[in-house]
Amino acid sequence: MAPWPVSEQLFGLGVASGEPDASSVVLWTRLLPSATAPLLRPQAVHWELAHDAEFQQILRRGEALATSDSGHSVHVLAQGLDADRWYYYRFRCQGQTSATGRTRTAPAPGAAVAQLRLVYASCQRWEHGYYAAWRHAREDDPDLVVFLGDYIYEYASPSSAAKQKHSQLARLQPLAHAVSLQDYRDRYALHKSDPDLQAMHAHCPWLVTWDDHEVEDNYVGDYGVGKVQAFVVKRMAAYQAFYENMPLRASVAYKQAGLRMPAAGTPLYRQQSWGALADLWVLDARQYRDLQACRTATEKSPASVKAADCADLARNSRSFLGWEQERWLAAQLASNSAAKPESRRWSVICQQTLFAARAFPSGRTSADTWDGYPAARQRLLRAIGEAQLRNTVLLGGDIHQNYVCRIQDPEGEHPQRVLASEFCGTSISSHSGTTQARVDAIVARNPHVLLARCDERGYGLCDISTKLWTTQLRVVNQPQYANSGAHSLARFVVEDQVAGPQWA
């Protein structure tokens, strides 16, 4: 019996799409081996893309090979499509047909676009809650989902006998702590067995990046807990499973004959345009990052440090993104200067965690967020300021809390000037690990923080037009129940050429 609650269907893990541009989109599925269909040989998977959900107007069709080397995943690049329109797709194999997926292409570069609706989300630990948030996000009908990391968690559940000691857990799972490639494949299969997550993947294209729990808590670069060589082997297994299970565009990591796994250092960061309305930059804050301040390479990172006891914290040579990615992002921002006629209206930096500085009452500094890399944050602030962008918005996740912040440059020529807006989202299901009283104490010391809440799970819903950006913080009422309702905790707007979020 499989360790996750799925049927014997080959397509029991659903379908997905992602990485849309103006003429193509990636279509994804993964065949699910079972006791009755072990999939020992490569399988021919047929795909179709149509104008209509009934597949009466089929536009493209083809065949892809699902092999054990790629976890029986299929990544199809459907090309030659019209810009800015919706399509439907499905897969067939061994007489079975997948669920129907809906996807779309992006508007043509420079095209006038009136609206973009996107959902941003992160952090969906299985045991901590059901995925009702995804059901409500689907009802909100976005054009695009931006997923900012922690799609899976590598941990094992407490034993069933210990469940009473963990009353906050919504559900358990039998998988071991992930170490091997098969462990990580099983973890993705577990998460993808959730019907609300499957339905959201099938509803619209996704842009995805990773954070730490796709590999190991608080890892950076080549360093996790334990010997470096053993960790690197585990990390590459985790990276392979991530690529197998995400609808990622073909690049140096892929070949059309079949999925080929990336070597260490293969870039995941990239740019996504949406006509003349927006440029989105999706970043990778794990693969190239320097060690957290005052961390021993083979030991776990401290949660926080005291600046007086940790000279490493202020060291200018430490990078949060890695130097090559830093330079790439600065150049991308400069290319979107408002002074250039081809610039996009909104510059959107999609990254993993909270960017805004936080002064804690304890005097300590968070080690794993941008607070732990103040020189790197200052370099990005400088790049944003020098680029003179029309509108800059940062999206983040990781900390399992909703934060809405004005981004200022305290070391700049005008320290009170607001450079950008930040919306750092709470988790889909993962617990926050703090209390609202502690969060309120942080807000009291940080006037640039407009809102901070740790006690809700959910996602962010953004409606972006030429004149206004509106963000709703959507939260579920009872995350421990799959049928939970949801509501909007708060609403903020960012006006065109007026930096900083405002309560709405």
Side-chain angles (χ1 to χ4, degrees), residues 47-95:
W47 61 273
E48 297 173 322
L49 182 138
H51 285 302
D52 61 306
E54 293 74 32
F55 291 85
Q56 297 300 305
Q57 303 176 59
I58 294 176
L59 181 66
R60 296 283 185 275
R61 52 164 47 104
E63 180 181 301
L65 199 62
T67 69
S68 58
D69 288 346
S70 61
H72 296 100
S73 62
V74 172
H75 294 68
V76 170
L77 183 62
Q79 303 182 78
L81 309 181
D82 293 334
D84 198 15
R85 70 160 298 161
W86 290 94
Y87 295 94
Y88 298 86
Y89 64 96
R90 65 186 179 187
F91 299 89
R92 299 180 187 272
C93 184
Q94 293 186 12

Side-chain angles (χ1 to χ4, degrees), residues 148 211 218 220 281-286 289-293 303 305 312-315 318-323 325-327 329-330 333 349-360 365-384 394-399 407 411 422 424:
L148 299 169
D211 196 22
N218 286 351
V220 292
W281 293 282
V282 182
L283 305 185
D284 175 356
R286 287 293 167 186
R289 195 201 298 199
D290 287 312
L291 277 171
Q292 292 92 343
V305 296
D312 194 31
L313 183 67
R315 187 157 51 86
R318 296 172 59 249
S319 178
F320 191 79
L321 300 174
W323 289 97
Q325 187 176 188
E326 278 196 28
R327 289 189 289 268
L329 180 57
L333 296 174
I349 301 173
C350 309
Q351 48 85 51
Q352 280 68 29
T353 189
L354 183 66
F355 181 76
R358 285 183 295 177
F360 285 82
T365 298
S366 173
D368 195 56
T369 67
W370 284 89
D371 276 343
Y373 298 77
R377 178 170 54 203
Q378 187 59 37
R379 289 192 294 271
L380 182 48
L381 284 169
R382 189 181 309 120
I384 292 171
L394 293 100
L395 301 178
D398 175 57
I399 61 173
I407 300 300
E411 298 181 19
E422 179 173 26
C424 183

Side-chain angles (χ1 to χ4, degrees), residues 105-306:
T105 51
V113 179
Q115 188 82 15
L116 166 62
R117 169 168 276 203
L118 67 82
V119 160
Y120 64 93
S122 63
C123 305
Q124 48 187 21
R125 186 167 177 181
W126 179 267
E127 300 94 330
H128 284 186
Y130 286 90
Y131 295 163
W134 285 127
R135 176 166 48 83
H136 292 285
R138 182 175 182 270
E139 292 170 357
D140 287 329
D141 195 22
D143 296 294
L144 191 66
V145 169
V146 179
F147 193 84
L148 299 169
D150 293 344
Y151 190 97
I152 63 166
Y153 280 69
E154 76 279 23
Y155 303 127
S157 283
S159 66
S160 296
K163 185 177 180 181
Q164 290 184 348
K165 297 181 181 180
H166 299 271
S167 59
Q168 288 187 316
L169 298 183
R171 49 185 172 175
L172 298 177
Q173 49 87 6
L175 301 178
H177 193 112
V179 175
S180 69
L181 175 57
Q182 191 59 50
D183 290 340
Y184 286 107
R185 284 172 171 169
D186 289 348
R187 199 58 56 107
Y188 282 100
L190 172 76
H191 284 66
K192 286 177 174 291
S193 71
D194 186 277
D196 289 319
L197 177 57
Q198 280 195 23
M200 189 72 248
H201 270 298
H203 189 70
C204 67
W206 286 41
L207 294 177
V208 299
T209 188
W210 54 32
D211 196 22
D212 53 341
H213 288 290
E214 283 86 358
V215 182
E216 176 184 293
D217 184 33
N218 286 351
Y219 92 93
V220 292
D222 292 339
Y223 302 104
V225 176
K227 294 182 178 179
V228 172
Q229 185 175 6
F231 172 74
V232 169
V233 171
K234 180 172 75 168
R235 184 195 65 182
M236 289 311 298
Y239 281 10
Q240 175 165 339
F242 177 85
Y243 278 94
E244 287 175 355
N245 285 279
M246 295 293 111
L248 287 162
R249 177 170 289 273
S251 67
V252 293
Y254 299 96
K255 290 186 178 179
Q256 287 300 104
L259 186 65
R260 294 292 299 272
M261 292 307 109
T266 297
L268 182 63
Y269 57 87
R270 67 259 192 219
Q271 176 263 354
Q272 168 82 47
S273 65
W274 205 264
L277 184 64
D279 257 339
L280 294 85
W281 293 282
V282 182
L283 305 185
D284 175 356
R286 287 293 167 186
Q287 192 174 185
Y288 314 109
R289 195 201 298 199
D290 287 312
L291 277 171
Q292 292 92 343
C294 295
R295 173 182 177 178
T296 302
T298 58
E299 296 179 359
K300 189 172 182 178
S301 169
S304 62
V305 296
K306 275 199 169 184

Side-chain angles (χ1 to χ4, degrees), residues 335-347:
S335 72
N336 204 43
S337 169
K340 298 184 177 181
E342 70 276 13
S343 67
R344 273 68 169 182
R345 185 69 57 104
W346 299 92
S347 298

